[in-house]
Amino acid sequence: NAADIGQMYELFIELSIHLRVNLMGYDYSGYGQSTGKPSEHNTYADIEAAYKCLEESYGAKQEDIILYGQSVGSGPTLDLAARLPRLRAVVLHSPILSGLRVMYPVKRSYWFDIYKNIDKIPLVKCPVLVIHGTCDEVVDCSHGKQLWELCREKYEPLWLKGGNHCDLELYPEYIRHLKKFISTVEKSPAWRISLRKSVDRPEPSRKSTDCFEAPRKSTDRREKPRQSTDRPEKLRIRDYKFFNNDDKITKLKISFDQMEKSRRSVEYHEKSRRSIDQQLEKARKSVDWLDRIRAG
């Protein structure tokens, strides 16, 4: 979102060492040296390509992979996780319920919404760790809590008191909880039973309103690779996002405002059509009434 893998390199090394894992990061279309343009569709194609690379080039299996998604990046992460039944685990860092819900307190999923995680997370079969700051000013902590409630395989969440949107990795509890989580999911299959006993029984899964299709390919025309000119700054986990944090709210609001205008326009025409139908019905009844008078 606000960085590319060039900026994330040092953090990736630290996480790989402390968590004792092999780590793979990737840039979205249009970021770093990745060609193309950032869009919801392309981020799905990007994470699919990264997964295929792990599977085909490195021989990695679903059960050996943990997907990690932060903020907007929770969208592509859950989209892929919902289609991998044997995935080892998922980590959601300051996740969103959906793009529209970041801006407006809507109670249902609309066709024009993006990253509808609220509809996809019940389809994820592996354990899910949710990490969220209680003072997040970009994505309210309620997003993370509601997603955790909808998980089929709940793992003890981490609600970092005072944590904001982009500083959670600076808290000591962050790395400790990740270590504990990875240690748990590395154990034998029996860990699933203990997990179920340690948390409340999950609620019935809701059916997703999305259709999960075969792996999608980007349809954008490719541009020349762009060199990353940013130098590493303070350690931040911002790899799974594609909007600049400072501009994200503004861009999303403009986009959603336009879609809201379109929706209102459709509703206006629908009301006009109903009004015309009502007038025609009144006219028909009036004619019938006159016919009955003449017949009498």
Side-chain angles (χ1 to χ4, degrees):
N1 194 48
D4 58 27
I5 55 177
Q7 291 174 288
M8 304 302 299
Y9 180 73
E10 291 185 7
L11 178 57
F12 286 171
I13 295 297
E14 292 294 324
L15 288 175
S16 179
I17 293 173
H18 286 94
L19 301 178
R20 297 182 179 181
V21 297
N22 295 316
L23 189 152
M24 178 181 182
Y26 67 96
D27 275 328
Y28 284 138
S29 298
Y31 277 73
Q33 295 190 25
S34 294
T35 56
K37 297 179 181 180
S39 69
E40 181 188 18
H41 180 84
N42 281 351
T43 59
Y44 294 150
D46 294 334
I47 195 171
E48 185 76 39
Y51 170 69
K52 289 297 181 183
C53 178
L54 284 174
E55 187 178 48
E56 297 173 3
S57 299
Y58 295 95
K61 299 179 180 179
Q62 287 186 37
E63 49 267 33
D64 296 326
I65 296 175
I66 298 175
L67 297 182
Y68 191 116
Q70 181 185 356
S71 190
V72 173
S74 57
T77 295
L78 285 176
D79 183 78
L80 179 61
R83 294 182 281 113
L84 299 179
R86 298 187 306 279
L87 190 65
R88 193 71 167 192
V90 170
V91 178
L92 299 178
H93 180 138
S94 304
I96 64 175
L97 287 168
S98 73
L100 186 60
R101 286 174 174 84
V102 175
M103 304 302 305
Y104 305 103
V106 296
K107 301 299 183 181
R108 53 174 293 186
S109 294
Y110 293 92
W111 64 267
F112 51 80
D113 200 354
I114 61 175
Y115 299 126
K116 291 178 273 192
N117 293 337
I118 189 173
D119 297 324
K120 296 178 183 179
I121 197 163
L123 303 176
V124 178
K125 298 180 180 179
C126 64
V128 178
L129 165 62
V130 180
I131 304 173
H132 216 122
T134 60
C135 295
D136 195 320
E137 297 176 350
V138 179
V139 180
D140 191 79
C141 188
S142 61
H143 285 245
K145 290 182 177 180
Q146 190 170 345
L147 286 173
W148 183 79
E149 289 292 340
L150 294 171
C151 290
R152 293 175 63 173
E153 293 286 350
K154 297 181 176 69
Y155 183 83
E156 179 186 359
L158 178 60
W159 313 125
L160 286 169
K161 187 175 181 179
N164 208 321
H165 195 63
C166 295
D167 62 357
L168 304 188
E169 65 274 14
L170 302 179
Y171 287 74
E173 303 96 314
Y174 168 78
I175 195 71
R176 287 202 298 265
H177 207 75
L178 276 177
K179 283 183 178 180
K180 180 182 175 183
F181 178 63
I182 291 176
S183 176
T184 301
V185 299
E186 280 180 339
K187 295 177 181 178
S188 64
W191 63 266
R192 290 182 180 271
I193 299 175
S194 63
L195 273 180
R196 292 193 184 97
K197 292 180 179 179
S198 65
V199 297
D200 296 332
R201 294 179 64 85
E203 301 174 0
S205 300
R206 303 186 309 158
K207 294 184 178 180
S208 172
T209 57
D210 291 340
C211 293
F212 296 102
E213 305 169 351
R216 287 160 285 196
K217 297 182 180 179
S218 172
T219 56
D220 285 342
R221 296 181 62 184
R222 294 305 186 187
E223 305 167 350
K224 293 183 179 180
R226 301 185 302 162
Q227 295 292 332
S228 172
T229 56
D230 296 326
R231 295 184 63 82
E233 300 173 352
K234 293 182 180 180
L235 298 183
R236 295 288 188 271
I237 294 186
R238 302 191 186 103
D239 53 322
Y240 293 132
K241 304 175 285 181
F242 68 84
F243 293 120
N244 182 288
N245 275 337
D246 296 332
D247 300 332
K248 180 175 67 177
I249 296 300
T250 301
K251 291 180 179 178
L252 280 174
K253 190 168 185 179
I254 292 173
S255 176
F256 290 134
D257 284 346
Q258 292 173 347
M259 290 186 287
E260 182 67 12
K261 289 180 181 179
S262 298
R263 184 185 63 79
R264 290 177 179 174
S265 176
V266 172
E267 290 180 350
Y268 171 79
H269 289 298
E270 180 64 19
K271 289 180 180 178
S272 298
R273 186 187 64 79
R274 288 198 296 266
S275 177
I276 293 172
D277 290 342
Q278 290 172 356
Q279 293 176 6
L280 290 174
E281 180 64 16
K282 289 181 180 180
R284 186 187 63 78
K285 290 181 178 178
S286 177
V287 171
D288 291 343
W289 181 73
L290 289 175
D291 288 342
R292 286 197 297 273
I293 292 178
R294 292 192 186 101

